[in-house]
């Protein structure tokens, strides 16, 4: 199961019509997603790619939003603070019943989650944004599909907040590695339908 499969499944399940992609790969890059998404309306945001809005995501949210979206795919700058802003800003422009999908949420090696790229694969510390939302936002439903480097699905709803020990540094990779399933609410790909039906 790929990010595109998950996005298209959500589009078909909920009859979504409008799609926003934050961080648009080109066809020459791995994980090219844009062309495979089956939505009537597709808008992209990326300062380095010739797409709908060739601006940084912060500028897009501040100056260029002119509509609401059914589904948003967040795959921009792989830094905790930016990913968190992209997610929370996306929640503000999400139609009722909409969904956000966030990529790169389940790094399985410490080197790939560093804030500066140190290997061929780079997930950055996006996972910290998911953990923060799992700890703080009871008004969201959040789970991460254990596929395609971790695809987190976020919808307005409710969740049991993830309890954390105050004596632990929860934003260190060791904490994620020791608590991956619970921290990310990690599920197998075949459990997506069941999770959405809760």
């Amino acid at each position: 199961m790929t990010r595109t499969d998950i996005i298209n499944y959500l589009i078909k399940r909920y009859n979504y019509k409008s799609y926003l992609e934050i961080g648009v790969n080109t066809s020459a890059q791995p994980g090219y997603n844009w062309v495979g998404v089956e939505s009537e309306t597709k808008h992209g945001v990326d300062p380095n790619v010739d797409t709908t809005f060739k601006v940084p995501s912060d500028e897009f949210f501040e100056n260029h939003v002119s509509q609401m979206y059914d589904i948003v795919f967040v795959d921009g700058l792989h830094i905790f603070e930016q990913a968190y802003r992209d997610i929370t800003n996306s929640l503000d422009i999400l139609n009722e019943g909409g969904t956000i999908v966030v990529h790169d949420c389940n790094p399985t090696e410490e080197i790939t989650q560093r804030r500066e790229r140190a290997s061929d694969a780079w997930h950055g510390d996006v996972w910290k944004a998911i953990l923060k939302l799992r700890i703080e936002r009871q008004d969201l439903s959040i789970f991460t599909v254990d596929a395609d480097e971790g695809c987190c699905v976020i919808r307005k709803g409710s969740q049991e907040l993830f309890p954390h020990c105050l004596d632990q540094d929860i934003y260190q990779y060791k904490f994620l590695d020791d608590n991956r399933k619970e921290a990310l609410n990690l599920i197998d790909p075949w459990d997506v339908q069941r999770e959405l039906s809760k």
Side-chain angles (χ1 to χ4, degrees), residues 27-39:
S27 57
Q29 295 172 296
Y32 181 50
N33 180 69
W34 177 265
V35 71
V37 173
E38 300 167 357
S39 179

Side-chain angles (χ1 to χ4, degrees), residues 20 22 56-65 72 85-87 89-90 93:
L20 175 67
I22 300 172
S57 57
D58 288 340
E59 182 180 333
F60 167 75
F61 285 113
E62 187 173 344
N63 299 316
H64 299 286
V65 175
V72 180
R85 282 200 306 276
D86 287 343
I87 294 166
N89 283 332
S90 294
I93 62 167

Side-chain angles (χ1 to χ4, degrees), residues 87-189:
I87 294 166
T88 55
N89 283 332
S90 294
L91 285 167
D92 291 338
I93 62 167
L94 202 61
N95 281 323
E96 187 71 27
T99 305
I100 298 169
V101 178
V102 187
H103 192 236
D104 296 298
C105 298
N106 187 28
T108 56
E109 296 181 53
E110 186 278 334
I111 194 170
T112 71
Q113 61 87 58
R114 295 179 188 174
R115 291 172 66 86
E116 292 187 11
R117 190 173 199 142
S119 61
D120 288 341
W122 185 51
H123 307 107
D125 56 353
V126 174
W127 66 269
K128 295 176 185 176
I130 306 309
L131 179 57
K132 182 174 174 65
L133 292 166
R134 291 267 297 128
I135 290 169
E136 297 180 351
R137 293 290 300 264
Q138 199 165 8
D139 62 325
L140 300 177
S141 168
I142 300 173
F143 63 87
T144 302
V145 184
D146 190 9
D148 197 353
E149 301 165 291
C151 294
C152 185
V153 177
I154 302 172
R155 294 171 52 79
K156 294 176 183 175
S158 64
Q159 66 173 339
E160 185 175 329
L161 294 179
F162 175 68
H164 63 287
C165 301
L166 295 177
D167 62 342
Q168 295 185 51
D169 189 343
I170 62 170
Y171 293 116
Q172 291 296 318
Y173 180 74
K174 185 180 187 313
F175 182 86
L176 173 68
D177 213 25
D178 291 344
N179 301 277
R180 186 178 304 275
K181 185 171 177 57
E182 298 78 12
L184 299 176
N185 194 17
L186 194 64
I187 68 165
D188 293 317

